Amino acid sequence: MSQALSSEKPFQISISSFDLTLLRQKLELVRLAHEVDNAGWDYGVPLSEIKRLTAYWKDTFLPKWHEHEAKLNEDLGPQFTRDIEVDGGFGKINVHYVHRKSAVVDAVPLLFVHGWPGSVLEVKKILPLLVEESPDYPSFHVVAISLPGYGFSEAPQRKGFEAVQLAEVCNKLMLSLGYTEYVTQGGDVGSLVTRKIAQIYGPKHSKAWHTNSPIGEPPHPIKRPLLLLSHLLFSYSPSEKAGLERTMQFQKQGSGYFAQQSTQPQTLGYSLDDSPVGLLAWIYEKLVNWSDGYSWTDDEVLTWISVYWFSKSGPAASTRIYYELAQAYPEGIFSGVQTPIPVGHSYFPQDIFVVPRRWIRAANPTLVFESDHESGGHFAAHERPEELVSDLRKMFGKGGPCYGVVPGKTGYVVDVIKFGGRD
Amino acid sequence: MSNTEAPFRISIPDDELESLKQKLALTRFPDELEDAGRDYGAPLADIQRLTNHWKDTYLSKWREHEAKLNEDFPQFTRDIEVDGFGTLNIHYVHKKSTVVDAVPLLFVHGWPGSFLEARKILPLLVEDSPEHPSFHVVVVSLPGYGFSEAPKKKGFGVPQYAEIGHKLMLALGYNEYVTQGGDWGSLITRKIAQVYGPKHSKAWHTNTPIGEAPHPTRRPWLLLSYLLFTLSPKEKAGLERTKWFQEKGIGYFKEQSTQPQTLGYSLADSPVGLLGWIYEKLVNWTDEYPWTDDEVLTWISIYWFSRAGPAASVRIYYEVSNQSPEGFARNIETPIPVGHSYFPKELAVLPRSWIKASNPTLVFESEHEGGGHFAAHERPEGLVSDLRKMFGKGGPAFGVVPGKTGYV
């Protein structure tokens, strides 16, 4: 692809002083909600947590923003933006992404796709591990995209921008970077997107995909998962039963955000764009409830929230994908899961949707790799970076089921001596 | 019983008005998709217009709005002891008719309603006429709403709200009374009927009548799609409306019944967030009611300036959902006469046969051609006319409160 035609520009996060001042002013005017006695986490995020985080945000984190920003730019470097044209009248969307190449020339091109309430920040810990060179495991060239409506990507302006369009943007990004053939890793919405990439662009472009949010359909129509689940509880292993309980618990207690975002995201959006403490609570609840006892530091949480608060399109835009998916897939997002390319799964017990292995296997006939973990939750790349990378190395490395799946890009240094002694 | 009643006037402190003004000036709006209409939620153009009006006009005239509220509503507070929950200071409106033997009536609001919903029906209810009965009206601000304290302990559910309503009536000297309620007010007045009727509560009326679906309430839709063939056009339209609400309008319910505190931080901190959250319902739940900006902002202001803050108001969903795992359509029967008003744009518009089957003491029904969820506000004459027919001479609940027939 001609460099002259590319709209790629280097990018650094650089929040304006206007935006920083506005946030500070809002934090100074915060009005906190009261709480019932001994609420704990039952009613939502405890007041004591929000009080502490809000005060810290205002008094410590925000005044040091430039340090945090510099660290982000360092951890996520190098970053870029470029225009991607999307079919169907959506026009050009300026997309933000991380593109870090390995020193290993023939590293495996890998696209990492985040979900909600995630962001490109989730790639931070696995980035150095994935590009690392070693004779013992494969290396990757990593592209981590900010999905349209998230991070520093523009948001779509028209209705109907769903998984198909997100997949199109991702595929076009990889092609524009010269990666005609690539593999993907995704969780949450990123799992849906990478699955769609596999279905539409595999095996021609997408050669294999890996997810830490594996799903499978329950035997009954998806509108009745819970009745069914309670029946089937007898015939599963203790850990599968625990997983089902966790899943049911999530459906019952933890899916209010899902119902709201799938039906009236704009209504919610007024709060998320206007109130930093409202946004903080909305997301922090998930960071805690969906992870496995992960010890979030206040800096970590606030950096995570800041990517939403300072996002190019605002936090409200990030929630619209739920609405679009509900419209596009009225039968639910758990049907039509099959893909024509190899898939690998990592299973983390404290994820929010943990269903019996046989459902998952039945729904994924091209499943070639499975890895069980003793702990870990929804945000695998952030909570268990070594484990996730270890899984990818096993899946794509020598002796693994997807070794060499991208022709000529095995992830290892080629031994020149074996090719006839020429330098 | 010690009388802690004190007269009350709404008088928002200057610093609260100033804080609201500052917040409004710092509003950050989201973007919106092209041609979104109302599909994705409250439209941006409406919210921007309302926010600007609030900031530039309404707020600077707040003392006028406040004075008008105090004029329309004679208000009081008093302490009420709730078993297991201690004493709560309760705010209420108490307007007596000049007709000495008027029927004592307790009006109970819901969410996102408030005592404000009684504004238009109040003068009509107390009005003296030989043609129709008069009422002494008590409008309670439920704990956590308006200027009532919120409960501090977990588990304050429908029985406790009913206890508040009942004890308030007793405290005011109304040993026997009738009730009118919609939304949560319907569940609460139903509980009052079940627990305190027929000894104290003599009859009740609701504009949000319900009945159990023949199938378990967790699966209404399979059944409904079958029944769609056998119902009248009106009933089919009603079920379509009900289906719309269950599929598109239920997000707030799911969030408020599971993580109310998480949501609460937004509602307490962001005036535009609170405005959006409530305004969507004011529009979607009514029958093309022509809300004026001032009307909307007064409604929202009651929430913004509420004694316990807006977050407290949504906890009822959590408490009641946890106490009613089988749903809200069970145990509907009451031992006293009940009257129904049916409005076509209500949120649950069920076949009449289901409602009748669940309400064996149903003595009065009135069907309306228009109107939605906030009946007292949208159709005050219609609602009051129904109450007059139900409780008036020749009506099925005439004289139900001995000695207080409502006439001179």
Side-chain angles (χ1 to χ4, degrees):
Chain A
M1 181 167 298
S2 162
Q3 197 58 26
L5 294 174
S6 155
S7 59
E8 181 174 272
K9 291 197 177 95
F11 178 86
Q12 293 270 287
I13 301 167
S14 180
I15 307 306
S16 71
S17 55
F18 175 84
D19 286 337
L20 293 170
T21 303
L22 178 61
L23 176 56
R24 180 179 52 78
Q25 290 172 325
K26 283 175 173 292
L27 288 172
E28 279 165 4
L29 285 177
V30 165
R31 189 174 77 156
L32 290 172
H34 301 302
E35 190 183 57
V36 292
D37 296 342
N38 307 310
W41 277 83
D42 294 351
Y43 291 71
V45 185
L47 179 57
S48 59
E49 297 276 303
I50 295 299
K51 257 194 191 156
R52 186 193 74 251
L53 282 161
T54 304
Y56 184 79
W57 200 352
K58 175 169 65 77
D59 301 330
T60 309
F61 184 87
L62 196 52
K64 286 196 180 155
W65 170 254
H66 294 290
E67 287 176 37
H68 298 294
E69 192 177 73
K71 187 85 178 48
L72 263 178
N73 283 326
E74 188 187 311
D75 290 340
L76 296 178
Q79 302 168 73
F80 305 87
T81 60
R82 72 164 63 220
D83 290 333
I84 308 242
E85 180 87 28
V86 183
D87 299 340
F90 291 100
K92 276 206 194 85
I93 300 206
N94 190 260
V95 171
H96 163 252
Y97 54 98
V98 175
H99 182 196
R100 188 180 291 188
K101 295 184 83 120
S102 171
V104 175
V105 173
D106 297 321
V108 185
L110 179 141
L111 172 69
F112 174 88
V113 187
H114 69 82
W116 189 95
S119 70
V120 78
L121 197 56
E122 286 180 86
V123 82
K124 186 179 85 151
K125 298 185 190 182
I126 62 175
L127 207 43
L129 302 172
L130 287 170
V131 301
E132 194 178 285
E133 174 182 339
S134 165
D136 299 326
Y137 46 76
S139 313
F140 300 84
H141 296 315
V142 182
V143 179
I145 186 177
S146 284
L147 290 173
Y150 293 73
F152 304 98
S153 289
E154 281 184 333
Q157 296 300 301
R158 298 174 76 172
K159 303 190 270 196
F161 199 98
E162 47 107 348
V164 168
Q165 284 69 38
L166 290 172
E168 182 186 337
V169 169
C170 288
N171 183 59
K172 282 181 170 170
L173 176 60
M174 292 305 272
L175 296 185
S176 72
L177 292 174
Y179 301 127
T180 322
E181 291 167 309
Y182 55 83
V183 303
T184 65
Q185 203 291 323
D188 194 84
V189 171
S191 183
L192 295 169
V193 174
T194 51
R195 187 209 305 166
K196 195 59 81 171
I197 292 173
Q199 289 170 339
I200 301 176
Y201 304 106
K204 184 173 178 197
H205 298 296
S206 181
K207 313 303 284 187
W209 64 294
H210 175 281
T211 180
N212 51 293
S213 309
I215 60 178
E217 256 181 288
H220 274 289
I222 39 173
K223 287 199 186 215
R224 299 254 175 84
L226 298 180
L227 241 207
L228 169 79
L229 291 173
S230 54
H231 280 307
L232 295 183
L233 270 168
F234 315 104
S235 40
Y236 296 112
S237 73
S239 65
E240 284 182 316
K241 284 186 201 171
L244 275 173
E245 287 232 11
R246 176 145 171 98
T247 307
M248 282 170 72
Q249 191 54 25
F250 172 74
Q251 290 295 320
K252 248 182 63 163
Q253 294 296 123
S255 60
Y257 82 98
F258 189 100
Q260 180 66 30
Q261 292 176 195
S262 307
T263 56
Q264 310 279 352
Q266 189 73 11
T267 291
L268 170 69
Y270 297 109
S271 290
L272 299 183
D273 270 58
D274 186 56
S275 170
V277 70
L279 177 69
L280 168 64
W282 197 258
I283 292 181
Y284 182 61
E285 174 208 297
K286 285 79 181 167
L287 297 187
V288 172
N289 288 349
W290 299 4
S291 60
D292 188 2
Y294 181 77
S295 316
W296 295 94
T297 66
D298 289 353
D299 279 348
E300 246 178 321
V301 172
L302 293 169
T303 302
W304 196 288
I305 304 302
S306 293
V307 173
Y308 272 83
W309 182 261
F310 293 128
S311 58
K312 183 160 186 168
S313 314
S318 73
T319 63
R320 277 177 210 137
I321 184 63
Y322 287 81
Y323 181 97
E324 303 299 359
L325 288 171
Q327 295 299 114
Y329 306 100
E331 73 286 359
I333 48 179
F334 296 132
S335 49
V337 166
Q338 295 184 27
T339 63
I341 58 174
V343 61
H345 291 168
S346 295
Y347 303 111
F348 293 94
Q350 292 303 308
D351 206 337
I352 53 182
F353 194 81
V354 182
V355 299
R357 206 54 54 84
R358 65 194 96 140
W359 297 7
I360 294 178
R361 288 181 182 145
N364 290 275
T366 61
L367 185 58
V368 300
F369 175 85
E370 290 182 288
S371 173
D372 263 284
H373 293 273
E374 294 297 303
S375 64
H378 190 68
F379 302 104
H382 193 78
E383 295 178 63
R384 296 283 184 276
E386 283 93 11
E387 287 85 338
L388 183 65
V389 171
S390 168
D391 287 350
L392 291 169
R393 287 170 175 171
K394 287 201 199 90
M395 179 174 167
F396 291 101
K398 281 175 179 160
C402 288
Y403 174 64
V405 75
V406 178
K409 306 222 170 135
T410 62
Y412 296 85
V413 174
V414 174
D415 189 348
V416 180
I417 293 168
K418 292 195 166 102
F419 283 83
R422 277 190 253 172
D423 319 0
Chain B
M1 186 185 307
S2 80
N3 182 353
T4 57
E5 182 174 273
F8 179 87
R9 290 175 72 79
I10 302 167
S11 182
I12 306 305
D14 285 336
D15 63 298
E16 281 189 43
L17 297 176
E18 184 56 32
S19 163
L20 173 56
K21 186 162 165 227
Q22 289 173 347
K23 280 176 172 292
L24 288 170
L26 294 177
T27 298
R28 190 174 78 157
F29 292 104
D31 64 353
E32 190 183 55
L33 296 179
E34 289 167 19
D35 304 318
R38 280 163 43 193
D39 294 350
Y40 290 71
L44 180 60
D46 286 358
I47 297 300
Q48 280 178 326
R49 188 193 72 248
L50 283 160
T51 303
N52 291 335
H53 183 70
W54 202 354
K55 173 170 62 79
D56 301 330
T57 309
Y58 184 90
L59 202 50
S60 51
K61 289 195 176 158
W62 169 255
R63 297 296 178 203
E64 287 176 37
H65 299 297
E66 195 178 66
K68 190 83 179 55
L69 280 170
N70 287 326
E71 188 186 308
D72 289 349
F73 291 106
Q75 302 160 72
F76 305 86
T77 58
R78 72 162 64 222
D79 290 337
I80 303 213
E81 175 99 24
V82 180
D83 299 341
F85 288 87
T87 303
L88 292 176
N89 190 256
I90 300 299
H91 164 255
Y92 55 98
V93 176
H94 184 196
K95 192 163 177 118
K96 294 184 83 117
S97 173
T98 52
V99 175
V100 172
D101 297 322
V103 184
L105 179 139
L106 171 70
F107 174 91
V108 186
H109 68 81
W111 187 94
S114 69
F115 70 91
L116 198 57
E117 284 181 83
R119 192 171 206 171
K120 301 183 193 183
I121 62 173
L122 212 43
L124 300 173
L125 287 170
V126 302
E127 191 181 280
D128 175 2
S129 164
E131 312 289 322
H132 57 246
S134 313
F135 299 83
H136 296 314
V137 184
V138 179
V139 181
V140 65
S141 280
L142 293 173
Y145 292 73
F147 303 98
S148 289
E149 277 187 322
K152 303 247 181 345
K153 294 166 84 168
K154 301 196 269 195
F156 198 96
V158 172
Q160 284 69 45
Y161 289 103
E163 188 180 334
I164 289 271
H166 169 68
K167 283 182 171 172
L168 177 59
M169 292 307 270
L170 293 188
L172 293 174
Y174 300 127
N175 195 51
E176 291 166 311
Y177 53 83
V178 303
T179 64
Q180 203 292 322
D183 195 84
W184 286 115
S186 184
L187 275 85
I188 292 166
T189 51
R190 186 207 303 163
K191 184 61 75 178
I192 290 175
Q194 289 171 340
V195 176
Y196 306 108
K199 185 173 177 196
H200 299 285
S201 180
K202 313 302 284 186
W204 65 294
H205 174 281
T206 180
N207 51 294
T208 50
I210 57 175
E212 233 183 306
H215 273 291
T217 49
R218 281 180 191 229
R219 301 270 163 77
W221 299 117
L222 250 206
L223 169 78
L224 291 173
S225 53
Y226 284 121
L227 290 186
L228 272 168
F229 308 108
T230 55
L231 301 170
S232 74
K234 264 190 190 163
E235 287 182 316
K236 281 187 201 173
L239 281 175
E240 284 290 327
R241 171 96 176 144
T242 311
K243 184 165 184 273
W244 162 81
F245 177 69
Q246 290 291 330
E247 289 180 353
K248 281 279 278 174
I250 207 87
Y252 81 99
F253 189 103
K254 283 225 75 185
E255 179 66 14
Q256 292 176 193
S257 55
T258 56
Q259 310 281 350
Q261 189 70 13
T262 292
L263 171 68
Y265 296 109
S266 289
L267 301 182
D269 185 55
S270 170
V272 71
L274 177 70
L275 169 64
W277 197 258
I278 292 182
Y279 179 69
E280 173 213 298
K281 284 83 180 165
L282 297 186
V283 173
N284 289 351
W285 296 7
T286 54
D287 190 359
E288 319 224 350
Y289 179 78
W291 294 94
T292 66
D293 288 355
D294 279 356
E295 240 178 325
V296 171
L297 293 169
T298 300
W299 195 288
I300 305 300
S301 293
I302 300 299
Y303 273 84
W304 183 261
F305 293 126
S306 60
R307 186 166 176 179
S313 73
V314 302
R315 262 172 230 142
I316 186 171
Y317 288 80
Y318 179 94
E319 303 294 6
V320 180
S321 295
N322 278 4
Q323 294 175 11
S324 323
E326 76 287 358
F328 301 148
R330 302 275 189 89
N331 304 318
I332 294 175
E333 300 182 17
T334 61
I336 59 175
V338 61
H340 290 169
S341 295
Y342 303 113
F343 294 94
K345 289 295 197 221
E346 194 34 273
L347 305 174
V349 184
L350 306 175
R352 206 56 56 79
S353 53
W354 299 9
I355 296 178
K356 285 180 165 154
S358 290
N359 288 276
T361 62
L362 185 58
V363 301
F364 175 85
E365 289 181 288
S366 171
E367 180 138 13
H368 293 263
E369 292 301 302
H373 188 70
F374 300 105
H377 193 79
E378 294 179 68
R379 297 281 190 274
E381 288 90 357
L383 183 66
V384 171
S385 168
D386 287 351
L387 292 170
R388 288 170 175 173
K389 287 201 198 89
M390 179 174 168
F391 291 103
K393 282 175 181 161
F398 174 64
V400 76
V401 178
K404 306 217 172 141
T405 63
Y407 294 86
V408 171

